[in-house]
Protein backbone atom coordinates (compact mmCIF):
# COMPACT_ATOMS: atom_id res chain seq x y z
CA UNK A 1 0.00 0.00 0.00
CA UNK A 2 1.40 3.39 -1.01
CA UNK A 3 1.77 6.26 1.47
CA UNK A 4 -1.31 8.45 1.77
CA UNK A 5 -0.65 11.84 0.18
CA UNK A 6 -2.32 15.00 1.46
CA UNK A 7 -5.10 15.49 -1.12
CA UNK A 8 -5.10 18.38 -3.57
CA UNK A 9 -8.01 19.49 -5.75
CA UNK A 10 -6.61 19.97 -9.24
CA UNK A 11 -8.15 21.21 -12.49
CA UNK A 12 -10.75 18.99 -14.19
CA UNK A 13 -10.11 20.57 -17.59
CA UNK A 14 -7.10 20.94 -19.85
CA UNK A 15 -6.38 24.50 -21.03
CA UNK A 16 -6.20 25.13 -24.76
CA UNK A 17 -2.86 26.92 -24.45
CA UNK A 18 -0.18 27.96 -21.99
CA UNK A 19 3.43 29.11 -22.07
CA UNK A 20 5.10 26.10 -20.42
CA UNK A 21 3.84 22.54 -20.09
CA UNK A 22 5.44 20.43 -17.37
CA UNK A 23 5.07 16.68 -17.94
CA UNK A 24 4.96 14.95 -14.56
CA UNK A 25 3.59 16.11 -11.21
CA UNK A 26 6.31 14.71 -9.01
CA UNK A 27 8.08 17.04 -6.62
CA UNK A 28 10.59 18.24 -9.25
CA UNK A 29 7.91 19.08 -11.80
CA UNK A 30 5.81 20.80 -9.14
CA UNK A 31 8.84 22.79 -7.96
CA UNK A 32 9.36 24.00 -11.53
CA UNK A 33 5.71 25.02 -11.69
CA UNK A 34 5.98 26.95 -8.43
CA UNK A 35 8.99 28.93 -9.65
CA UNK A 36 7.34 29.74 -12.98
CA UNK A 37 4.07 30.76 -11.31
CA UNK A 38 5.98 33.01 -8.91
CA UNK A 39 7.51 34.68 -11.96
CA UNK A 40 4.09 35.20 -13.52
CA UNK A 41 4.70 32.71 -16.36
CA UNK A 42 1.65 30.62 -17.37
CA UNK A 43 2.36 26.96 -16.67
CA UNK A 44 0.32 23.77 -16.83
CA UNK A 45 1.46 20.54 -15.15
CA UNK A 46 0.08 17.35 -16.74
CA UNK A 47 0.19 14.10 -14.76
CA UNK A 48 -0.75 10.67 -16.11
CA UNK A 49 -1.80 9.45 -12.67
CA UNK A 50 -2.00 11.23 -9.34
CA UNK A 51 0.13 14.06 -8.03
CA UNK A 52 3.29 12.66 -6.35
CA UNK A 53 1.87 9.16 -6.70
CA UNK A 54 5.19 7.48 -7.38
CA UNK A 55 8.66 8.07 -5.93
CA UNK A 56 7.97 11.64 -4.79
CA UNK A 57 5.78 10.30 -1.97
CA UNK A 58 7.65 7.02 -1.41
CA UNK A 59 11.20 8.23 -0.69
CA UNK A 60 12.88 8.55 2.70
CA UNK A 61 12.53 12.33 2.98
CA UNK A 62 16.21 13.04 3.63
CA UNK A 63 17.56 16.49 2.76
CA UNK A 64 21.30 16.03 2.80
CA UNK A 65 24.64 17.43 1.75
CA UNK A 66 26.62 14.63 3.37
CA UNK A 67 28.47 12.46 0.85
CA UNK A 68 27.22 14.37 -2.17
CA UNK A 69 29.64 14.28 -5.07
CA UNK A 70 31.69 17.46 -5.36
CA UNK A 71 29.99 18.37 -8.67
CA UNK A 72 26.55 17.88 -7.12
CA UNK A 73 27.24 19.67 -3.83
CA UNK A 74 26.19 23.18 -4.97
CA UNK A 75 22.75 21.77 -5.79
CA UNK A 76 22.43 20.25 -2.32
CA UNK A 77 23.58 23.47 -0.62
CA UNK A 78 21.10 25.54 -2.63
CA UNK A 79 18.32 23.07 -1.85
CA UNK A 80 19.11 23.35 1.86
CA UNK A 81 18.48 27.10 1.79
CA UNK A 82 15.27 26.70 -0.20
CA UNK A 83 13.89 23.95 2.06
CA UNK A 84 14.42 26.18 5.10
CA UNK A 85 12.26 28.87 3.47
CA UNK A 86 9.66 26.45 2.10
CA UNK A 87 7.08 26.62 4.94
CA UNK A 88 6.85 30.40 4.62
CA UNK A 89 6.94 30.22 0.83
CA UNK A 90 4.04 27.76 0.49
CA UNK A 91 2.18 28.70 3.66
CA UNK A 92 2.20 25.19 5.09
CA UNK A 93 4.28 22.82 7.20
CA UNK A 94 6.13 20.45 4.87
CA UNK A 95 7.74 18.62 7.76
CA UNK A 96 11.13 20.23 7.22
CA UNK A 97 13.36 19.89 10.27
CA UNK A 98 17.08 20.69 10.29
CA UNK A 99 17.87 17.88 12.71
CA UNK A 100 21.07 16.57 11.14
CA UNK A 101 22.12 13.37 9.39
CA UNK A 102 24.61 10.84 10.75
CA UNK A 103 26.27 7.91 8.97
CA UNK A 104 27.93 5.19 11.05
CA UNK A 105 30.61 2.71 9.95
CA UNK A 106 31.55 -0.69 11.34
CA UNK A 107 35.10 -0.78 10.02
CA UNK A 108 37.99 1.36 8.91
CA UNK A 109 37.22 0.28 5.34
CA UNK A 110 33.71 1.73 5.70
CA UNK A 111 35.13 4.90 7.26
CA UNK A 112 37.56 5.51 4.40
CA UNK A 113 34.97 6.98 1.96
CA UNK A 114 33.72 9.37 4.67
CA UNK A 115 37.26 10.53 5.39
CA UNK A 116 37.94 11.01 1.67
CA UNK A 117 34.71 12.99 1.22
CA UNK A 118 35.46 15.30 4.15
CA UNK A 119 38.85 16.05 2.62
CA UNK A 120 37.35 16.68 -0.83
CA UNK A 121 34.79 19.27 0.37
CA UNK A 122 36.93 21.07 2.96
CA UNK A 123 36.88 24.28 0.92
CA UNK A 124 33.06 24.28 0.83
CA UNK A 125 32.79 25.39 4.45
CA UNK A 126 30.28 22.75 5.51
CA UNK A 127 29.62 21.85 9.13
CA UNK A 128 30.24 18.15 8.37
CA UNK A 129 32.67 16.35 10.68
CA UNK A 130 33.98 12.91 11.47
CA UNK A 131 32.84 11.33 14.74
CA UNK A 132 34.48 8.98 17.23
CA UNK A 133 32.61 5.97 18.65
CA UNK A 134 32.17 7.87 21.93
CA UNK A 135 30.58 10.82 20.12
CA UNK A 136 28.18 8.51 18.27
CA UNK A 137 27.07 6.96 21.57
CA UNK A 138 26.43 10.44 22.96
CA UNK A 139 24.40 11.56 19.92
CA UNK A 140 22.42 8.32 19.59
CA UNK A 141 22.32 6.66 23.01
CA UNK A 142 21.24 3.12 23.75
CA UNK A 143 23.21 1.43 20.98
CA UNK A 144 24.98 -1.91 21.29
CA UNK A 145 27.26 -1.85 18.22
CA UNK A 146 30.93 -0.89 18.53
CA UNK A 147 31.19 1.54 15.62
CA UNK A 148 34.54 2.35 14.06
CA UNK A 149 33.35 5.93 13.62
CA UNK A 150 30.93 8.06 11.66
CA UNK A 151 30.27 11.29 9.82
CA UNK A 152 27.68 13.90 10.75
CA UNK A 153 26.31 17.08 9.18
CA UNK A 154 24.14 18.90 11.76
CA UNK A 155 22.70 21.27 9.13
CA UNK A 156 21.26 18.40 7.08
CA UNK A 157 17.59 17.69 7.56
CA UNK A 158 14.43 15.97 6.49
CA UNK A 159 10.94 16.73 5.20
CA UNK A 160 7.74 14.74 4.75
CA UNK A 161 7.18 13.35 1.23
CA UNK A 162 3.42 12.99 1.79
CA UNK A 163 3.11 16.67 2.71
CA UNK A 164 5.70 18.53 0.64
CA UNK A 165 4.52 17.89 -2.93
CA UNK A 166 0.91 18.70 -2.01
CA UNK A 167 1.90 21.96 -0.32
CA UNK A 168 4.04 22.99 -3.28
CA UNK A 169 1.21 22.13 -5.68
CA UNK A 170 -1.35 24.19 -3.75
CA UNK A 171 1.02 27.16 -3.59
CA UNK A 172 1.75 26.94 -7.33
CA UNK A 173 -1.98 26.85 -8.13
CA UNK A 174 -2.64 29.79 -5.84
CA UNK A 175 -0.14 31.77 -7.93
CA UNK A 176 -1.74 30.79 -11.24
CA UNK A 177 -0.38 27.35 -12.20
CA UNK A 178 -2.79 24.73 -13.57
CA UNK A 179 -2.38 21.06 -12.63
CA UNK A 180 -4.27 18.34 -14.50
CA UNK A 181 -4.21 14.77 -13.17
CA UNK A 182 -5.24 11.48 -14.82
CA UNK A 183 -4.16 12.83 -18.21
CA UNK A 184 -1.32 11.14 -20.07
CA UNK A 185 0.84 13.05 -22.54
CA UNK A 186 1.17 10.97 -25.69
CA UNK A 187 3.48 13.06 -27.86
CA UNK A 188 4.96 16.47 -28.61
CA UNK A 189 3.57 18.77 -31.29
CA UNK A 190 6.26 20.47 -33.34
CA UNK A 191 6.36 23.31 -35.82
CA UNK A 192 9.51 23.66 -37.89
CA UNK A 193 11.13 21.07 -35.62
CA UNK A 194 10.52 23.11 -32.43
CA UNK A 195 8.00 22.33 -29.70
CA UNK A 196 4.62 23.98 -30.24
CA UNK A 197 2.45 21.90 -27.92
CA UNK A 198 1.74 18.49 -26.46
CA UNK A 199 -0.81 15.87 -27.45
CA UNK A 200 -2.64 14.30 -24.50
CA UNK A 201 -5.37 11.72 -24.17
CA UNK A 202 -7.77 14.66 -23.68
CA UNK A 203 -6.59 16.62 -26.68
CA UNK A 204 -3.82 19.03 -27.57
CA UNK A 205 -2.53 21.98 -25.54
CA UNK A 206 -0.44 24.62 -27.32
CA UNK A 207 2.70 25.91 -25.61
CA UNK A 208 6.10 27.45 -26.24
CA UNK A 209 8.19 25.22 -23.97
CA UNK A 210 7.96 21.73 -22.45
CA UNK A 211 9.72 20.52 -19.32
CA UNK A 212 9.87 16.72 -19.05
CA UNK A 213 10.02 15.63 -15.39
CA UNK A 214 8.65 12.13 -15.81
CA UNK A 215 10.96 10.27 -13.43
CA UNK A 216 11.20 6.60 -14.29
CA UNK A 217 9.02 7.24 -17.39
CA UNK A 218 11.22 9.87 -19.02
CA UNK A 219 13.47 7.33 -20.74
CA UNK A 220 10.48 5.72 -22.45
CA UNK A 221 8.98 9.07 -23.51
CA UNK A 222 12.28 10.26 -24.98
CA UNK A 223 12.90 6.91 -26.64
CA UNK A 224 9.77 7.42 -28.71
CA UNK A 225 11.43 10.62 -29.98
CA UNK A 226 14.63 8.77 -30.84
CA UNK A 227 16.52 10.28 -27.88
CA UNK A 228 18.48 8.10 -25.46
CA UNK A 229 18.38 8.86 -21.74
CA UNK A 230 20.35 6.18 -19.88
CA UNK A 231 18.39 5.34 -16.75
CA UNK A 232 17.73 1.98 -15.15
CA UNK A 233 15.19 1.14 -12.42
CA UNK A 234 15.99 0.25 -8.83
CA UNK A 235 13.34 -0.59 -6.24
CA UNK A 236 13.59 0.42 -2.58
CA UNK A 237 11.33 -1.15 0.04
CA UNK A 238 10.45 1.09 2.97
CA UNK A 239 8.49 0.82 6.20
CA UNK A 240 7.12 3.21 8.77
CA UNK A 241 6.48 2.49 12.42
CA UNK A 242 3.68 3.62 14.66
CA UNK A 243 4.59 6.55 16.95
CA UNK A 244 7.32 5.53 19.41
CA UNK A 245 10.20 6.83 21.47
CA UNK A 246 13.45 6.61 19.56
CA UNK A 247 17.13 7.12 20.34
CA UNK A 248 17.53 10.41 18.44
CA UNK A 249 15.83 13.06 16.33
CA UNK A 250 18.64 12.81 13.75
CA UNK A 251 18.42 10.69 10.62
CA UNK A 252 20.89 7.80 10.89
CA UNK A 253 22.31 5.68 8.09
CA UNK A 254 24.07 2.44 8.94
CA UNK A 255 25.73 0.02 6.54
CA UNK A 256 22.56 -2.10 6.30
CA UNK A 257 19.75 0.03 7.75
CA UNK A 258 18.60 3.63 8.07
CA UNK A 259 16.01 5.41 10.16
CA UNK A 260 14.66 8.91 10.56
CA UNK A 261 12.03 10.47 12.79
CA UNK A 262 8.69 11.30 11.18
CA UNK A 263 6.39 14.22 11.86
CA UNK A 264 3.73 11.77 13.08
CA UNK A 265 6.05 10.42 15.80
CA UNK A 266 6.99 7.19 14.04
CA UNK A 267 10.14 6.34 12.09
CA UNK A 268 10.80 5.69 8.40
CA UNK A 269 13.15 2.71 8.04
CA UNK A 270 14.82 0.90 5.15
CA UNK A 271 17.55 -1.63 4.45
CA UNK A 272 20.02 0.97 3.24
CA UNK A 273 22.53 -1.60 2.04
CA UNK A 274 20.27 -3.31 -0.49
CA UNK A 275 18.25 -2.29 -3.53
CA UNK A 276 16.29 -4.58 -5.81
CA UNK A 277 16.35 -4.61 -9.59
CA UNK A 278 14.61 -6.89 -12.05
CA UNK A 279 16.28 -7.49 -15.40
CA UNK A 280 14.53 -5.70 -18.27
CA UNK A 281 15.47 -5.20 -21.94
CA UNK A 282 17.03 -1.85 -20.96
CA UNK A 283 19.62 -3.65 -18.85
CA UNK A 284 20.74 -5.41 -22.01
CA UNK A 285 20.66 -2.24 -24.10
CA UNK A 286 22.54 0.17 -21.82
CA UNK A 287 23.98 -1.97 -19.04
CA UNK A 288 27.58 -1.35 -20.16
CA UNK A 289 27.22 2.29 -19.05
CA UNK A 290 26.83 1.03 -15.49
CA UNK A 291 29.79 -1.33 -15.24
CA UNK A 292 31.93 0.92 -12.97
CA UNK A 293 29.02 1.42 -10.57
CA UNK A 294 28.10 -2.24 -10.74
CA UNK A 295 31.62 -3.31 -9.80
CA UNK A 296 31.58 -0.99 -6.78
CA UNK A 297 28.02 -1.72 -5.63
CA UNK A 298 27.45 -5.32 -6.68
CA UNK A 299 27.03 -6.45 -3.07
CA UNK A 300 24.15 -4.00 -2.61
CA UNK A 301 22.01 -5.29 -5.50
CA UNK A 302 19.35 -7.98 -5.30
CA UNK A 303 18.68 -9.15 -8.85
CA UNK A 304 15.34 -10.50 -10.01
CA UNK A 305 14.21 -12.20 -13.20
CA UNK A 306 10.88 -13.09 -14.73
CA UNK A 307 7.61 -11.22 -15.15
CA UNK A 308 9.11 -7.69 -15.16
CA UNK A 309 10.87 -8.45 -18.45
CA UNK A 310 7.60 -9.40 -20.13
CA UNK A 311 5.73 -6.50 -18.52
CA UNK A 312 8.28 -4.05 -19.90
CA UNK A 313 7.84 -5.42 -23.41
CA UNK A 314 4.04 -5.36 -23.10
CA UNK A 315 4.04 -1.60 -22.43
CA UNK A 316 5.75 -0.92 -25.75
CA UNK A 317 8.69 1.27 -26.67
CA UNK A 318 7.19 2.97 -29.73
CA UNK A 319 3.74 4.40 -30.37
CA UNK A 320 2.15 6.75 -32.87
CA UNK A 321 0.91 10.27 -32.19
CA UNK A 322 -2.55 10.17 -30.59
CA UNK A 323 -2.26 6.40 -30.05
CA UNK A 324 -2.68 4.85 -26.62
CA UNK A 325 0.63 5.44 -24.88
CA UNK A 326 2.31 3.24 -22.23
CA UNK A 327 1.50 5.91 -19.65
CA UNK A 328 -2.21 5.22 -20.11
CA UNK A 329 -1.75 1.47 -19.73
CA UNK A 330 0.12 1.87 -16.43
CA UNK A 331 -0.55 5.17 -14.69
CA UNK A 332 1.26 4.44 -11.43
CA UNK A 333 4.41 2.39 -11.00
CA UNK A 334 3.65 0.47 -7.81
CA UNK A 335 6.28 -2.26 -7.33
CA UNK A 336 5.67 -4.95 -4.71
CA UNK A 337 7.37 -4.70 -1.34
CA UNK A 338 10.32 -7.00 -0.80
CA UNK A 339 9.34 -8.39 2.59
CA UNK A 340 12.75 -10.00 3.00
CA UNK A 341 14.44 -6.58 2.86
CA UNK A 342 11.91 -5.14 5.30
CA UNK A 343 12.70 -7.91 7.77
CA UNK A 344 16.45 -7.46 7.24
CA UNK A 345 16.16 -3.75 7.93
CA UNK A 346 14.38 -4.34 11.24
CA UNK A 347 16.75 -7.11 12.34
CA UNK A 348 19.82 -5.03 11.56
CA UNK A 349 18.42 -1.93 13.23
CA UNK A 350 17.31 -3.76 16.38
CA UNK A 351 20.77 -5.34 16.67
CA UNK A 352 22.27 -1.83 16.63
CA UNK A 353 19.63 0.01 18.71
CA UNK A 354 17.48 -2.41 20.72
CA UNK A 355 14.87 0.29 21.41
CA UNK A 356 13.41 -0.57 18.00
CA UNK A 357 12.51 -4.06 19.21
CA UNK A 358 9.32 -2.50 20.56
CA UNK A 359 8.42 -0.87 17.22
CA UNK A 360 5.12 -1.67 15.53
CA UNK A 361 5.28 -1.71 11.74
CA UNK A 362 2.35 0.43 10.61
CA UNK A 363 2.89 0.26 6.85
CA UNK A 364 5.37 -0.76 4.17
CA UNK A 365 5.68 0.23 0.52
CA UNK A 366 8.10 0.17 -2.39
CA UNK A 367 9.17 2.85 -4.85
CA UNK A 368 11.00 2.75 -8.16
CA UNK A 369 14.05 4.99 -8.61
CA UNK A 370 15.45 6.10 -12.00
CA UNK A 371 19.24 5.80 -11.80
CA UNK A 372 21.77 7.27 -14.23
CA UNK A 373 25.27 5.78 -14.72
CA UNK A 374 26.88 8.50 -12.56
CA UNK A 375 23.93 8.88 -10.14
CA UNK A 376 23.48 12.54 -11.11
CA UNK A 377 20.33 13.83 -12.82
CA UNK A 378 19.96 15.35 -16.25
CA UNK A 379 18.74 18.95 -16.03
CA UNK A 380 19.31 20.34 -19.49
CA UNK A 381 17.80 21.48 -22.74
CA UNK A 382 17.49 18.74 -25.37
CA UNK A 383 19.44 20.10 -28.38
CA UNK A 384 17.68 17.96 -30.99
CA UNK A 385 14.23 19.24 -29.95
CA UNK A 386 14.17 23.03 -29.51
CA UNK A 387 11.79 23.97 -26.74
CA UNK A 388 12.22 20.70 -24.78
CA UNK A 389 14.02 20.66 -21.42
CA UNK A 390 14.65 17.58 -19.29
CA UNK A 391 14.77 17.17 -15.50
CA UNK A 392 15.00 13.45 -14.72
CA UNK A 393 17.34 10.69 -13.58
CA UNK A 394 17.63 11.91 -9.99
CA UNK A 395 18.90 8.52 -8.79
CA UNK A 396 17.15 8.66 -5.42
CA UNK A 397 18.20 12.26 -4.67
CA UNK A 398 15.26 14.07 -6.25
CA UNK A 399 13.26 14.83 -3.14
CA UNK A 400 16.12 16.37 -1.22
CA UNK A 401 17.33 18.53 -4.09
CA UNK A 402 13.91 19.26 -5.65
CA UNK A 403 13.61 22.97 -4.74
CA UNK A 404 16.99 23.75 -6.30
CA UNK A 405 16.56 21.34 -9.21
CA UNK A 406 13.19 22.90 -9.97
CA UNK A 407 14.64 26.41 -9.87
CA UNK A 408 17.53 25.42 -12.16
CA UNK A 409 15.17 23.74 -14.62
CA UNK A 410 12.89 26.80 -14.61
CA UNK A 411 15.91 29.01 -15.34
CA UNK A 412 16.87 26.86 -18.32
CA UNK A 413 13.32 26.83 -19.66
CA UNK A 414 12.99 30.62 -19.49
CA UNK A 415 16.56 31.58 -20.38
CA UNK A 416 17.25 33.18 -17.00
CA UNK A 417 20.70 33.18 -15.40
CA UNK A 418 20.94 29.68 -13.87
CA UNK A 419 20.73 29.30 -10.10
CA UNK A 420 23.95 27.26 -10.31
CA UNK A 421 26.26 25.84 -12.94
CA UNK A 422 24.23 23.36 -15.00
CA UNK A 423 27.28 21.73 -16.60
CA UNK A 424 27.32 18.62 -14.34
CA UNK A 425 23.76 17.85 -15.45
CA UNK A 426 24.07 18.10 -19.23
CA UNK A 427 22.59 15.27 -21.30
CA UNK A 428 25.55 14.83 -23.65
CA UNK A 429 27.87 13.67 -20.86
CA UNK A 430 26.67 10.11 -21.52
CA UNK A 431 27.48 10.15 -25.22
Amino acid sequence: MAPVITPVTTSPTLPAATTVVVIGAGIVGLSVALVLAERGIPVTVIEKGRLAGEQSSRNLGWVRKTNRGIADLPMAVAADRLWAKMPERVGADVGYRQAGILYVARSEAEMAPHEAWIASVRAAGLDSRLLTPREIDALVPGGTERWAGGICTPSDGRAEPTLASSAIARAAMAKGAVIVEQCAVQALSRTGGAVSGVVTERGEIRCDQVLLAGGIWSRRFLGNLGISLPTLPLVASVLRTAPMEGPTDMAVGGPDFSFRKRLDGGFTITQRGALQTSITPDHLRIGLHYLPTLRAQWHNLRLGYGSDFAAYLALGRRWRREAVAPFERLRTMDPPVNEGLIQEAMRNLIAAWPAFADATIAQSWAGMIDVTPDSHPVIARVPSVPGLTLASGFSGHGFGTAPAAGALAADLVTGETPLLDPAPYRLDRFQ
Side-chain angles (χ1 to χ4, degrees), residues 56 72 387 397-398:
S56 290
D72 200 36
H397 309 152

Side-chain angles (χ1 to χ4, degrees), residues 34-78:
L34 177 59
V35 174
L36 295 175
E38 289 171 336
R39 295 177 182 175
I41 298 171
V43 56
T44 297
V45 183
I46 305 177
E47 168 57 46
K48 61 181 173 38
R50 289 295 186 188
L51 181 151
E54 295 178 316
Q55 190 58 14
S56 290
S57 62
R58 300 169 187 240
N59 63 86
L60 303 182
W62 291 30
V63 179
R64 68 173 174 87
K65 301 177 292 296
T66 312
N67 290 336
R68 294 281 188 201
I70 190 66
D72 200 36
L73 188 58
M75 174 88 77
V77 172

